[in-house]
Amino acid sequence: MKLRKSFKRVLFLLLAFCMAVSLLVACRQPETPPDQTKPDEKPPVQDDEDKKEDGEPQLPDIYDVEDSLPESENYGTTFTILYFLEQYLNDFWVDEGTGGVIDNAVFSAVSSTEERFGVDIVALHSGTGSEGEHVTYIKNQITAGKADFDVARTHDVHGANLSLEGVLYDLNKIEQFDFSKPWWPRKNMESLSFMGQMYLMSSSISYRGLLSTSSVFFNKSLMEDYGLDLPYEQVQSGEWYLEDMFTSIEDFHEEGDMGIEGKTEDDIYGIVIPSQLYCWPESFGIELVQKDPDTGELVLNGHDERMYDLVEKMYNVLWENDGGYVITRPSAQAMFGQNQAVYIPVHIGSAVQVFLDYDVDYGIVPYPKLDESQQEYYAGYTDRYFVIPFTCSDADYVGTILESMSAEGYRQVTPAYFEVALKNRYTKDAVSKEMVDLIRQSMILDFAYVYGGNKWWTDTMRDLLTGSQPNSDYASYYQKALPGAEDRVDKVTEAFEEMLEKQQGKN
């Protein structure tokens, strides 16, 4: 087994304490530019109420949760995780500590499982940078009975399609997985399950889902300059609606220095929206496909009146008014960072990954509610799932390691990313910290997005609002997609029925 330095949880807290002390020392030194190649090294932003008396960041007791696994065991083996892109590696595995609080926590979490169970956890590249080819490799390895990995990391939609091929192990059959624990978010389980089966693993083994959670950033300086009210109080009262946000900025548009007429990337807008338009329906509580509670069948819900309303509101702000602008996500983030937008709906990880490179004073809030019928705020998100080959010969072993990694991820990595980095370093005021907590509590995965194969209207916003001829004719779009949506329901249902028989035969 390779040597990895052991960072126990108490040492992680000590690291956080040292960071806080170094911040106090830095306050007495001349300012120096942060090293932008290491986002974890940027000085934290902390309010007094977020520290203990000795300067140590206050970490909630919710992370101090024991698992149900054996205290220790010596398997003396190598546990291999297959992956396909470097950018989707270090949210669950790093080779060594880097000095950054997040990477160190990931390294520590993996090391804890290695030492506890006598395994060497390694990451194996599938040899391709293509998500489609990566999934094909997984399938070919499994069907040939020669999988060189214990578990694989997949793209969300490609992973769902792979699960329909009948080559993955039902996670509900693994006794070591204790779904009552907080590293298995209940809403994930409900969304990814169908017919009592679940093939895609989304747990605290990685912080990818957390960083990809939908949120809204707003520019506090622009709001102050133009007399706009911060949305905090409306959010807190439960009365912040999409119409409020759009109406306040529908005419907010200033030409940039280039002086070019019309809408350009050089201008300043009320809202700039990334053209991918991920997770919009679910972020307003719209379920495009529902699971009938009585029959368990999939029921199409693309005709939901709220979907028509959402499309119309989005079209109006982008194309009927001057205040909205749609562009690719990197460009949208750059514009917001350069103080060219009041609002931007983007994943919450932008605070840690993107906006630290810019001089922008922002606040963070959840997506607004669509209308008064919506009882709570929602934060749609995507994830990169872990899957277990159907040919797995020792489910107890694989389950033990994955449950341990998930538990250590929750105990060590989640507080490092969420509490220390996101909330205390890159959230700039006390109310935004409250908002970030609210967003985390509102996270929701969407079965329609994951299993729809782009047939269940999940791409509506992108298709209607960002094409060569933007329009709000959702009625025609819905009717045109309906036959394909119905076929997809049949395909998913039949696949799960066949997999149920196969899983029962295996047991």
Side-chain angles (χ1 to χ4, degrees):
M1 184 189 308
K2 65 181 177 182
L3 295 177
R4 296 170 66 98
K5 183 178 178 182
S6 175
F7 291 99
K8 301 301 182 184
R9 285 187 294 279
V10 64
L11 294 183
F12 169 64
L13 294 176
L14 179 60
L15 171 63
F17 168 72
C18 292
M19 289 164 43
V21 172
S22 65
L23 174 63
L24 296 176
V25 174
C27 291
R28 300 188 181 96
Q29 304 298 325
E31 285 191 9
T32 56
D35 179 3
Q36 301 295 352
T37 64
K38 293 183 178 181
D40 288 334
E41 296 301 314
K42 191 167 183 179
V45 177
Q46 291 185 326
D47 294 335
D48 290 340
E49 63 267 26
D50 294 308
K51 302 178 192 175
K52 294 180 180 177
E53 291 183 2
D54 58 4
E56 178 184 329
Q58 179 71 51
L59 299 181
D61 293 337
I62 59 171
Y63 299 108
D64 187 17
V65 180
E66 294 184 358
D67 55 62
S68 304
L69 297 170
E71 184 174 341
S72 65
E73 192 165 338
N74 186 13
Y75 285 109
T77 59
T78 296
F79 187 85
T80 303
I81 303 176
L82 189 74
Y83 74 101
F84 64 103
L85 284 178
E86 295 293 335
Q87 71 189 83
Y88 298 124
L89 176 62
N90 66 359
D91 56 77
F92 73 92
W93 186 93
V94 295
D95 188 46
E96 60 182 357
T98 64
V101 64
I102 300 174
D103 279 354
N104 276 353
V106 173
F107 180 71
S108 173
V110 174
S111 298
S112 295
T113 294
E114 287 183 320
E115 294 176 1
R116 179 177 177 182
F117 295 104
V119 296
D120 185 10
I121 300 173
V122 301
L124 174 67
H125 196 285
S126 61
T128 176
S130 163
E131 295 169 338
E133 291 177 1
H134 172 73
V135 172
T136 298
Y137 177 85
I138 295 173
K139 178 183 177 181
N140 290 342
Q141 288 276 301
I142 296 173
T143 54
K146 58 177 184 180
D148 55 357
F149 53 89
D150 295 290
V151 63
R153 186 87 179 278
T154 70
H155 177 269
D156 44 15
V157 174
H158 286 301
N161 288 334
L162 177 66
S163 74
L164 300 179
E165 299 286 340
V167 296
L168 302 181
Y169 202 98
D170 183 3
L171 304 183
N172 288 329
K173 302 297 183 183
I174 297 180
E175 296 180 359
Q176 287 70 25
F177 289 168
D178 187 347
F179 296 134
S180 69
K181 299 297 185 180
W183 43 89
W184 295 99
R186 182 172 305 231
K187 290 182 180 179
N188 291 10
M189 320 298 296
E190 295 173 352
S191 183
L192 296 177
S193 296
F194 183 48
M195 293 186 181
Q197 305 164 70
M198 184 172 66
Y199 297 96
L200 307 176
M201 178 177 172
S202 175
S203 72
S204 298
I205 194 173
S206 159
Y207 61 86
R208 175 63 49 184
L210 184 57
L211 74 84
S212 71
T213 302
S214 300
S215 61
V216 176
F217 287 68
F218 62 91
N219 188 307
K220 293 195 288 187
S221 298
L222 284 178
M223 283 193 155
E224 181 179 354
D225 291 344
Y226 290 90
L228 298 175
D229 294 330
L230 303 185
Y232 288 145
E233 290 187 8
Q234 284 180 288
V235 175
Q236 291 170 324
S237 69
E239 298 179 345
W240 192 45
Y241 299 106
L242 189 63
E243 186 73 24
D244 297 331
M245 182 172 73
F246 284 171
T247 299
S248 70
I249 49 82
E250 61 186 5
D251 297 320
F252 193 108
H253 180 205
E254 287 191 8
E255 289 186 356
D257 295 336
M258 300 293 291
I260 302 174
E261 294 185 3
K263 293 184 177 182
T264 74
E265 192 174 343
D266 188 49
D267 299 347
I268 301 175
Y269 297 94
I271 187 169
V272 58
I273 298 178
S275 56
Q276 288 86 349
L277 287 162
Y278 287 147
C279 303
W280 276 78
E282 59 265 40
S283 292
F284 295 98
I286 299 174
E287 293 182 289
L288 295 170
V289 170
Q290 298 173 326
K291 301 168 188 173
D292 189 291
D294 298 321
T295 66
E297 297 177 350
L298 297 179
V299 179
L300 292 175
N301 189 42
H303 63 282
D304 191 324
E305 292 182 1
R306 300 179 76 247
M307 190 66 177
Y308 290 84
D309 187 27
L310 176 59
V311 170
E312 190 67 30
K313 283 181 167 61
M314 288 288 291
Y315 178 79
N316 287 341
V317 78
L318 288 174
W319 301 108
E320 293 294 322
N321 296 288
D322 293 331
Y325 190 62
V326 61
I327 196 170
T328 63
R329 183 168 61 195
S331 296
Q333 290 171 323
M335 290 178 66
F336 182 81
Q338 293 163 175
N339 296 288
Q340 290 179 251
V342 177
Y343 288 108
I344 181 173
V346 70
H347 60 73
I348 203 167
S350 298
V352 179
Q353 296 175 307
V354 180
F355 296 142
L356 76 165
D357 292 327
Y358 297 96
D359 183 17
V360 54
D361 184 14
Y362 58 76
I364 308 174
V365 289
Y367 271 43
K369 297 177 180 178
L370 181 59
D371 51 44
E372 293 183 357
S373 70
Q374 185 174 331
Q375 297 300 307
E376 57 186 300
Y377 298 105
Y378 296 100
Y381 73 101
T382 61
D383 203 351
R384 300 279 165 160
Y385 305 116
F386 293 83
V387 297
I388 301 173
F390 180 77
T391 52
C392 173
S393 60
D394 192 346
D396 289 347
Y397 164 63
V398 173
T400 295
I401 302 306
L402 291 179
E403 177 75 0
S404 176
M405 292 182 69
S406 298
E408 293 298 346
Y410 177 80
R411 290 188 288 247
Q412 299 192 57
V413 182
T414 300
Y417 183 84
F418 186 77
E419 304 290 346
V420 178
L422 180 58
K423 284 180 65 176
N424 284 293
R425 287 189 171 196
Y426 304 117
T427 301
K428 300 191 174 186
D429 61 72
V431 184
S432 275
K433 297 180 195 299
E434 174 189 331
M435 297 292 106
V436 169
D437 281 327
L438 175 59
I439 291 167
R440 182 182 174 190
Q441 296 163 9
S442 306
M443 292 173 63
I444 185 168
L445 280 172
D446 182 32
F447 183 84
Y449 175 83
V450 177
Y451 274 101
N454 302 323
K455 301 294 185 180
W456 289 339
W457 304 284
T458 53
D459 290 334
T460 296
M461 314 303 289
R462 184 189 66 197
D463 292 345
L464 289 181
L465 303 176
T466 67
S468 58
Q469 296 181 317
N471 68 89
S472 60
D473 188 4
Y474 178 66
S476 296
Y477 181 87
Y478 165 77
Q479 289 295 337
K480 184 177 180 180
L482 185 57
E486 293 172 334
D487 289 344
R488 184 68 179 182
V489 167
D490 292 340
K491 179 177 180 178
V492 172
T493 300
E494 291 170 4
F496 270 85
E497 289 174 343
E498 293 174 0
M499 291 187 294
L500 181 59
E501 294 180 3
K502 185 176 181 180
Q503 295 287 345
Q504 291 172 339
K506 183 179 179 69
N507 296 319

